[in-house]
Amino acid sequence: MSCPICNRKSDPEIRPFCSARCADVDLARWLSGTYAVPSTDLDDIETALDAAAEALEHPGRPDRLS
């Protein structure tokens, strides 16, 4: 199996990655939203639009979990 980030041979201890660096790159991509699961559910779209509008109204305010 090859590393999904750089295509080098995977290290069995941190599979599917070849190194801790590639694992960290993958995690950063998930946390930044680079990877996303698309949705066509209208409720999801409305929720995303509401969150974007809230972020525009209150820039710099950390996200709130509700």
Side-chain angles (χ1 to χ4, degrees):
M1 171 181 246
S2 63
C3 176
I5 302 300
C6 70
N7 293 319
R8 286 187 274 175
K9 186 177 178 188
S10 295
D11 181 337
E13 290 185 24
I14 52 176
R15 203 175 102 201
F17 306 104
C18 67
S19 66
R21 180 193 172 280
C22 283
D24 289 344
V25 168
D26 184 71
L27 178 60
R29 289 179 181 174
W30 279 106
L31 295 176
S32 69
T34 300
Y35 297 147
V37 178
S39 175
T40 57
D41 184 353
L42 292 178
D43 289 337
D44 290 341
I45 294 169
E46 288 295 322
T47 301
L49 290 173
D50 291 344
E54 179 74 18
L56 289 173
E57 290 175 14
H58 303 285
R61 190 166 106 192
D63 293 328
R64 293 179 295 166
L65 298 176
S66 51

